[in-house]
Amino acid sequence: MQIHRFSGGFFFDDSSNRLKELFKVNQTEVVRFEPEFVAIPFDQHIGAPNKLVVAIGDQVQKGQIIAKSSADISGHVHSSVTGTVVDVCEVPALNDNTQTAAIINCDQSKHHSENLIDPNFSYEKTVRAAGIVGLGGATFPTHVKLNPADHIDVQTIILNGAECEPFIASDDFLMQKESHKILRGGEIAREILDAKKILVGIEKDKPKAIAAMEKAVNKVKNCRIVPLPVKYPQGGEGQLLETLIAAESPLNGRSVETGAFTINVATAFAIAESVDERKSLTHRYVTITGDVKKPQVIYFPLGTRVKDLIDACGGFYGTPSRIIHGGPMMGKTITDLDFPLTKGSNAIIVFNEEHDGKVTESPCIRCNRCVEVCPVRLEPQSIDLAYRNDDLFTCDQLLATACINCGCCTYVCPARRNLAANITKAGAAIKNEKEALKDAK
């Protein structure tokens, strides 16, 4: 199969590759973690907010819906443990915000069935009932994505196993352990959308995952495992489409309009468990790595605190300087260890003072490197300058809202300017301004 090049991107330098080796997770067995309590946020998806449907004092079962919305673009939230709801309160969220969560004390002595989804539901209703969202980080409700407009003819299902951010090994390990279920999820998506074939893209630095998936694929018709170049951001949806089918995702449309439906391998795994085992999305794999004493991939119940998982890895190695939720390129710094991990949590990376690599900005030298690596062909330095001058009109004209926040521009900038963060802020400000104008009409 021919592999195509995607626009922009880069190969990590030697210093990043040395850290990748230092922070590498080496394990063969699944590590499961069971906390004493969980703090489950009501909203773990893009879309309408959920409402709590249980009360303090209620006994809940693992897999039971505890928060939901009747809106189509929404995602049910389930209890990830069997236990008692003891509180509803504010807990830490990203960007130093808070979010409302149900606190549930776990009762390890009770083991109720978690298979609570109606066996008569269709595939689509099952996926919605299970609360499945995009587990690659986007958290868009999967049941909505599986229902494209009537005029869209989906020919190809693409399973994204690229996992291109440094240090993260969650999907890598999942593919090694659950290859059959991942491919089964791809088959279910293919049946729902009446597609013809399945392609699974995996970066070549995951040989064990590639081997496991190639062994499992023998039982799946019209399905191919495609090893990909180790180039960032290969795991971006648009970049994967360019690489595998030479298609460019529309700027103001949905990628499925290219005739390809793309989901993360973890999402495919969740789809298979919901349809074949009637399981809701209550657990996922997360990479805990960096400057911790024992880096691991852990299978955990949603709502587990960062503190508990770091403790499960032996605690910090050295003095922590920065803790990132997600990858080092696109992730966000968290400052409160009580932060609960949710459906969109695939990694926690700890940097101590030795490895943090904090830098000081200097003026732009107009080298144009940020333009060369931008995978969506933007002018990062120009958008950044306009944002710093409070010129949202120019930011809009320069398509700041098209940024995928991959961080390529920031990584290559010799002046160490935080370009990606400012472009993301500009895009958010533009969207808010347009929404306000729309509401005023």
Side-chain angles (χ1 to χ4, degrees):
M1 177 178 171
Q2 183 179 2
I3 299 295
H4 308 273
R5 292 183 179 181
F6 63 84
S7 301
F10 65 87
F11 301 95
F12 285 103
D13 60 25
D14 290 342
S15 62
S16 294
N17 287 328
R18 283 194 293 271
L19 274 183
K20 284 174 69 175
E21 192 60 33
L22 180 65
F23 294 167
K24 189 174 182 178
V25 174
N26 293 300
Q27 71 186 75
T28 57
E29 300 300 321
V30 176
V31 176
R32 301 176 186 273
F33 181 77
E34 295 295 337
E36 294 182 0
F37 71 91
V38 291
I40 304 179
F42 296 178
D43 300 313
Q44 301 182 35
H45 61 278
I46 291 174
N50 285 330
K51 291 184 178 180
L52 190 68
V53 294
V54 294
I56 294 174
D58 284 357
Q59 302 290 312
V60 294
Q61 296 185 42
K62 179 181 177 182
Q64 178 181 336
I65 293 177
I66 62 170
K68 65 179 181 178
S69 168
S70 59
D72 189 38
I73 302 180
S74 62
H76 300 338
V77 171
H78 305 75
S79 178
S80 59
V81 298
T82 294
T84 306
V85 180
V86 295
D87 198 4
V88 175
C89 61
E90 294 297 299
V91 298
L94 293 176
N95 300 316
D96 290 326
N97 293 319
T98 62
Q99 56 192 334
T100 310
I103 312 300
I104 303 175
N105 282 347
C106 307
D107 188 342
Q108 305 290 358
S109 66
K110 295 180 179 179
H111 299 283
H112 295 288
S113 171
E114 63 180 285
N115 310 331
L116 304 177
I117 300 174
D118 190 327
N120 297 314
F121 278 177
S122 65
Y123 284 175
E124 295 94 325
K125 284 187 176 181
T126 297
V127 169
R128 173 162 195 175
I132 299 173
V133 300
L135 298 181
T139 66
F140 187 80
T142 303
H143 70 274
V144 178
K145 195 171 180 179
L146 283 166
N147 187 30
D150 291 339
H151 71 276
I152 295 175
D153 181 21
V154 176
Q155 295 290 315
T156 306
I157 304 297
I158 295 178
L159 303 186
N160 187 349
E163 198 169 44
C164 59
E165 283 239 30
F167 319 140
I168 305 179
S170 305
D171 289 347
D172 185 351
F173 192 72
L174 175 66
M175 287 185 283
Q176 294 177 44
K177 295 299 178 182
E178 299 288 1
S179 53
H180 291 283
K181 285 187 181 180
I182 291 168
L183 293 174
R184 170 63 179 149
E187 289 183 291
I188 293 168
R190 176 167 62 182
E191 185 174 338
I192 292 172
L193 296 168
D194 195 27
K196 301 294 188 296
K197 61 181 178 180
I198 301 171
L199 298 176
V200 186
I202 309 171
E203 283 196 337
K204 292 179 181 178
D205 62 350
K206 302 169 181 60
K208 292 181 180 179
I210 291 172
M213 294 294 284
E214 286 183 337
K215 183 178 180 181
V217 82
N218 292 329
K219 298 181 180 180
V220 182
K221 294 180 180 179
N222 297 324
C223 181
R224 184 166 184 171
I225 310 302
V226 186
L228 302 170
V230 184
K231 182 183 180 183
Y232 186 81
Q234 181 65 79
E237 186 175 52
Q239 291 62 57
L240 201 58
L241 288 172
E242 286 189 59
T243 302
L244 292 177
I245 64 171
E248 187 168 341
S249 186
L251 183 61
N252 294 313
R254 296 174 61 185
S255 62
V256 73
E257 293 173 24
T258 63
F261 174 85
T262 307
I263 52 172
N264 180 265
V265 291
T267 309
F269 170 71
I271 290 173
E273 288 212 316
S274 70
V275 169
D276 294 340
E277 301 175 38
R278 320 314 291 177
K279 287 184 178 180
S280 300
L281 179 54
T282 62
H283 288 61
R284 71 163 298 166
Y285 287 87
V286 65
T287 303
I288 311 295
T289 190
D291 290 304
V292 293
K293 292 181 180 177
K294 189 177 181 180
Q296 297 181 96
V297 174
I298 300 177
Y299 186 69
F300 73 98
L302 301 178
T304 302
R305 296 180 302 171
V306 169
K307 177 185 185 301
D308 294 330
L309 290 171
I310 289 177
D311 287 346
C313 292
F316 295 115
Y317 183 80
T319 302
S321 174
R322 187 161 49 114
I323 301 172
I324 297 176
H325 176 267
M329 299 298 295
M330 298 180 70
K332 295 184 181 297
T333 300
I334 58 174
T335 56
D336 193 327
L337 294 181
D338 285 334
F339 181 93
L341 299 190
T342 60
K343 297 176 184 180
S345 302
N346 62 350
I348 294 294
I349 302 170
V350 178
F351 290 103
N352 63 21
E353 294 173 338
E354 177 185 355
H355 297 132
D356 194 359
K358 291 181 178 178
V359 294
T360 302
E361 283 191 338
S362 59
C364 174
I365 62 173
R366 303 292 183 183
C367 65
N368 218 43
R369 292 182 189 177
C370 58
V371 176
E372 293 172 356
V373 299
C374 179
V376 287
R377 308 182 190 93
L378 302 180
E379 297 179 24
Q381 85 286 21
S382 298
I383 301 173
D384 173 64
L385 180 62
Y387 177 73
R388 291 171 191 254
N389 289 326
D390 296 320
D391 186 357
L392 288 184
F393 176 79
T394 298
C395 290
D396 193 18
Q397 294 295 106
L398 292 170
L399 304 178
T401 54
C403 174
I404 61 173
N405 194 32
C406 63
C408 286
C409 52
T410 300
Y411 184 88
V412 302
C413 179
R416 317 314 300 168
R417 293 171 75 81
N418 204 352
L419 302 171
N422 283 344
I423 296 169
T424 300
K425 292 175 184 176
I430 290 166
K431 290 178 181 177
N432 290 338
E433 192 174 82
K434 289 182 177 180
E435 284 294 325
L437 288 172
K438 183 179 177 181
D439 292 340
K441 291 182 178 179

